[in-house]
Amino acid sequence: NAGVTQTPKFQVLKTGQSMTLQCAQDMNHNSMYWYRQDPGMGLRLIYYSASEGTTDKGEVPNGYNVSRLNKREFSLRLESAAPSQTSVYFCASSELGGGQYNGYTFGSGTRLTVV
Amino acid sequence: AQSVTQLGSHVSVSEGALVLLRCNYSSSVPPYLFWYVQYPNQGLQLLLKYTSAATLVKGINGFEAEFKKSETSFHLTKPSAHMSDAAEYFCAVSSHYQKVTFGTGTKLQVIP
């Protein structure tokens, strides 16, 4: 099925460890996003990529890095995980261009626990 | 700048009763408005969207929302709640080609 695929679905890290969250979309969307979701805080934008070859900081970028590998893939890296990064991470994509704006398509999320 | 305020982090309704989830927005330009639904342990799914074509928007699963510019509101309604409607609902705002700003969510509980 067409959509956004995130891996892994679950991960437990020790403080200071690093890891990369993977995201791929097969809808030929130009824009991709990484959000974190915490109870009572809704979704907060970490980084986004408006188009292939560009990335920009969102609302809460500290402690994260991203790579837009190609049009399909957008990865999020935690270089030195901290307990404050325990969260559910969502990748999303959207088309960019003329016509009606159709909102975002979300992946199913990565549940990350840092101990 | 744009923002969204969802009134009530938790809403409980009886099965068969009216569902009303409130959303007010702020935007300096004509907005696009969205409602997303998130079922437990899943990602967000688009429920419906307003993109200026019509003020009353119908979405999936019997939900609808009305854009009221004078009240800067985009409340979500469903005439009769079903147990399967229990989920968290997010209102969101965007403007032309801009990033989406999400509200903090409203958890809907449906009581049998």
Side-chain angles (χ1 to χ4, degrees):
Chain A
N1 292 334
V4 178
T5 302
Q6 290 184 237
T7 56
K9 293 189 182 301
F10 300 93
Q11 185 71 48
V12 179
L13 289 179
K14 294 182 179 180
T15 298
Q17 286 185 319
S18 63
M19 77 161 295
T20 300
L21 282 65
Q22 306 287 352
C23 175
Q25 52 91 8
D26 57 6
M27 297 169 288
N28 201 36
H29 284 172
N30 288 295
S31 301
M32 298 185 73
Y33 313 83
W34 277 105
Y35 284 88
R36 60 178 289 172
Q37 183 179 27
D38 302 290
M41 304 190 74
L43 279 80
R44 293 182 290 169
L45 183 64
I46 305 171
Y47 271 94
Y48 67 101
S49 172
S51 61
E52 185 179 356
T54 69
T55 60
D56 286 287
K57 295 178 180 180
E59 183 183 355
V60 288
N62 291 343
Y64 305 95
N65 285 298
V66 291
S67 296
R68 183 76 183 265
L69 304 172
N70 47 56
K71 191 171 185 178
R72 290 187 63 248
E73 299 173 286
F74 188 40
S75 63
L76 178 72
R77 183 162 178 82
L78 287 69
E79 292 290 353
S80 179
S84 61
Q85 294 178 305
T86 294
S87 187
V88 181
Y89 292 86
F90 288 100
C91 178
S93 70
S94 67
E95 58 187 309
L96 189 66
Q100 216 172 20
Y101 184 70
N102 290 317
Y104 290 177
T105 301
F106 282 86
S108 57
T110 296
R111 283 152 182 80
L112 176 66
T113 301
V114 183
V115 298
Chain B
Q2 59 188 26
S3 65
V4 165
T5 301
Q6 291 185 241
L7 300 177
S9 58
H10 292 81
V11 171
S12 294
V13 300
S14 298
E15 190 175 16
L18 171 72
V19 175
L20 171 61
L21 304 182
R22 299 178 186 274
C23 173
N24 289 88
Y25 71 92
S26 173
S27 176
S28 58
V29 297
Y32 295 105
L33 294 161
F34 308 86
W35 277 99
Y36 286 84
V37 60
Q38 184 181 31
Y39 298 103
N41 299 315
Q42 294 187 27
L44 279 72
Q45 303 173 34
L46 184 64
L47 200 56
L48 50 81
K49 62 183 178 182
Y50 165 77
T51 55
S52 77
T55 58
L56 183 62
V57 181
K58 295 186 183 299
I60 61 173
N61 300 336
F63 284 93
E64 62 182 36
E66 186 172 9
F67 172 68
K68 292 187 176 181
K69 185 177 179 180
S70 61
E71 299 177 7
T72 61
S73 68
F74 190 58
H75 301 332
L76 181 70
T77 60
K78 181 175 181 178
S80 177
H82 191 274
M83 295 299 294
S84 60
D85 295 327
E88 188 161 16
Y89 293 80
F90 292 89
C91 183
V93 63
S94 177
S95 55
H96 200 61
Y97 297 143
Q98 296 301 308
K99 301 182 300 298
V100 176
T101 299
F102 290 89
T104 53
T106 297
K107 287 188 177 178
L108 176 66
Q109 180 186 21
V110 182
I111 302 168

